[in-house]
Amino acid sequence: MKASEDQVVEDAAAYQDDDVRIKPSFCSHVFLPLHPQNMADIKKLKSVGICTVKGIQMTTRRAMCNIKGLSEAKVEKIKEAAGKMLTNGFQTAFEYSTKRRQVFHITTGSLEFDKLLGGGVESMAITEAFGEFRTGKTQISHTLCVTAQLPGENGYSGGKVIFIDTENTFRPDRLRDIAERFNVDQDAVLDNVLYARAYTSEHQMELLDFVAAKFHEEGGVFKLLIIDSIMALFRVDFSGRGELAERQQKLAQMLSRLQKISEEYNVAVFVTNQMTADPGAGMTFQADPKKPIGGHILAHASTTRISLRKGRGEMRIAKIFDSPDMPENEATFAITAGGVTDAKE
Ligand code: ATP
Ligand code: MG
C-alpha cells in the first residue's frame, strides 16, 4: 500500500463524530483534522491561512462565511466541532504563566537596546519601531534576520525568518555582512530567510495567508516575521480623508491577523512604521511635531512601540513609547557594517 493511502486509511480510522480529531502540535495547538471527507473544507480554510482549530476559534463566523464555498451551515458545524475540542477559553493564571514561559526574546545586536526591550524582540507579540528616514528601521530588521537564527538566552534555539518588504529596501548582501560579524555561515543564513516583496496592501494581506500556512507546515521552525514597513502600501492605496475609514478597517484586519499569527505559532512579529507631521501639534506645546502613522488602530495593536531618532553619526536612540511591562526608558545603539551594535563611548 502506498504511503498516501496509508495516510487516508489512518485518517479515516481516526474519524470521529465531531468531524475533527486531536493531534498535538509543537505548542499544544491542534492541527486541523485530516479526514478525507472534510479535505475540501480544510483546503478552503487553509487557503486563507486558517490551519489549526485554534485558528478557527480566532476567526469570526462572519469572516468564515466570506470564505468562498463555505456556507453558513457549514461554518456553524466547523465552529461547533472546533468548540468541542478547545476549552471555553478560560484558564488559571498559573496555566497561562506556563504558556507565557514559551515566550522568547531575539537580540537586537545591542545589549543596551535589548535591555530596553526586556531582553530583545519578544515572541507572541507585535513590536513596532517607528522613526524618521535613516533612523535604522530597515537596519534593525536586517540584523534581526540574522540574530533570530542564533541560539540565545534561556534555551532559545534560533530559527527561520520571513521578511515582507514593502519598500524594496531588503538587501541580502547586508545579511552577509551581519552574518560575518556573528561568525555564521552566510549562505545558511540567507537560506533561512524567506523573502517576499509586497506590491499592494491587499497583496501584503494575502502574503499573510502564506505566512500562516508556512508557520503551520514547519511548526516551531520559524521564529520571526518582519514587515518593513507596515504602513507604506496603505498610504499609497488609500488617499485622503474619504478613504481613511476603509484604510483603518483594512489595517485593523491585518493587525489582528498578525496578532493571531504571533500567538498561534509563538513567533515574534517586528514591524516598522513611518512618521508624519501632526497637524494638531501646532495647537499644543508638543516638542516633537511628528507622530507615527496608523492612528489608534496601530497604536493599540502593537504590544511594544519603540520610537527611533538620530544621534551623532552612526548613533541612534531608541525610546520605549508604549509597553505593557517596560518603563519608558531610552537606549543608545549604533548602526555599523555588521548591523546593530552597542554604541561605543
Ligand atoms: P527609511 O524611513 O528611509 O526606510 P530607515 O529608518 O529604514 O529609513 P535605515 O535604512 O535602517 O533607515 O538606516 C539607514 C542608516 O543605516 C543610514 O544612516 C546608513 O548610513 C546606515 N547604514 C546602512 N548600511 C550601512 C552599512 N553597510 N554600514 C554602516 N551603516 C549603514
Ligand atoms: Mg527603511
Side-chain angles (χ1 to χ4, degrees):
M1 201 189 287
K2 286 201 296 286
S4 62
E5 279 173 282
D6 273 350
Q7 186 68 43
V8 171
V9 171
E10 193 210 310
D11 292 337
Y15 177 70
Q16 296 165 346
D17 290 340
D18 295 310
D19 281 6
V20 280
R21 70 186 177 109
I22 299 175
K23 250 179 128 187
S25 80
F26 68 102
C27 52
S28 78
H29 292 133
V30 182
F31 284 133
L32 284 175
L34 287 165
H35 186 262
Q37 283 178 12
N38 300 327
M39 229 30 196
D41 293 335
I42 290 160
K43 244 187 172 153
K44 282 171 209 158
L45 290 171
K46 281 190 172 171
S47 74
V48 295
I50 303 171
C51 306
T52 63
V53 174
K54 181 112 187 161
I56 293 172
Q57 197 187 30
M58 286 171 151
T59 312
T60 61
R61 282 178 172 73
R62 200 159 70 122
M64 278 173 67
C65 286
N66 285 336
I67 300 167
K68 220 168 142 196
L70 280 192
S71 67
E72 215 166 300
K74 201 45 153 294
V75 167
E76 204 48 54
K77 228 176 141 199
I78 294 170
K79 275 281 186 190
E80 199 189 315
K84 276 187 199 162
M85 296 183 65
L86 294 168
T87 54
N88 58 12
F90 280 103
Q91 55 191 324
T92 65
F94 182 76
E95 283 164 344
Y96 185 56
S97 78
T98 313
K99 187 181 168 223
R100 290 285 308 172
R101 242 176 265 144
Q102 296 175 11
V103 170
F104 56 82
H105 293 88
I106 300 171
T107 174
T108 58
S110 153
L111 285 172
E112 278 294 304
F113 198 172
D114 286 352
K115 226 187 283 163
L116 183 78
L117 295 172
V121 176
E122 194 179 63
S123 73
M124 289 196 200
I126 300 176
T127 302
E128 174 198 348
F130 66 87
E132 290 185 64
F133 68 100
R134 286 181 45 216
T135 48
K137 304 178 294 288
T138 300
Q139 294 305 314
I140 297 170
S141 305
H142 279 76
T143 307
L144 290 170
C145 279
V146 179
T147 56
Q149 300 184 34
L150 309 173
E153 286 184 352
N154 304 323
Y156 175 66
S157 57
K160 293 188 184 182
V161 180
I162 292 188
F163 194 114
I164 297 178
D165 181 10
T166 65
E167 299 182 307
N168 200 21
T169 49
F170 178 74
R171 297 290 177 273
D173 281 347
R174 287 295 292 128
L175 298 190
R176 289 189 183 279
D177 293 344
I178 299 165
E180 196 185 332
R181 163 188 164 199
F182 286 103
N183 277 322
V184 283
D185 186 80
Q186 298 179 14
D187 290 342
V189 161
L190 265 61
D191 245 348
N192 286 332
V193 179
L194 268 184
Y195 166 82
R197 168 94 164 89
Y199 293 99
T200 67
S201 55
E202 261 169 29
H203 185 205
Q204 192 175 328
M205 186 71 166
E206 283 159 17
L207 286 173
L208 293 186
D209 293 341
F210 171 82
V211 168
K214 200 71 195 162
F215 285 175
H216 175 70
E217 215 177 282
E218 296 184 44
V221 169
F222 285 86
K223 302 290 182 190
L224 173 67
L225 167 64
I226 296 172
I227 305 184
D228 182 25
S229 90
I230 182 99
M231 289 302 299
L233 298 171
F234 281 96
R235 235 175 169 178
V236 178
D237 295 347
F238 301 91
S239 60
R241 261 173 193 275
E243 293 178 21
L244 187 63
E246 196 189 344
R247 185 193 88 173
Q248 291 304 87
Q249 194 195 0
K250 290 272 165 16
L251 177 64
Q253 284 165 0
M254 174 166 306
L255 290 163
S256 125
R257 197 71 209 286
L258 286 174
Q259 258 167 349
K260 287 170 190 168
I261 287 176
S262 76
E263 284 180 40
E264 197 174 359
Y265 301 105
N266 190 21
V267 293
V269 173
F270 182 79
V271 304
T272 69
N273 191 13
Q274 300 153 310
M275 295 178 88
T276 184
D278 181 359
M283 319 278 281
T284 64
F285 296 100
Q286 219 171 306
D288 184 4
K290 295 220 165 165
K291 60 174 194 179
I293 58 175
H296 292 299
I297 300 272
L298 186 50
H300 290 305
S302 305
T303 318
T304 302
R305 304 191 99 187
I306 314 158
S307 97
L308 299 170
R309 66 175 196 273
K310 268 177 250 171
R312 246 182 322 115
E314 63 197 19
M315 312 280 221
R316 299 291 184 272
I317 299 120
K319 185 176 185 221
I320 292 285
F321 199 69
D322 191 4
S323 158
D325 46 17
M326 294 307 293
E328 289 192 12
N329 287 335
E330 285 192 352
T332 305
F333 65 93
I335 303 174
T336 66
V340 170
T341 62
D342 273 319
K344 289 188 190 69
E345 295 306 328

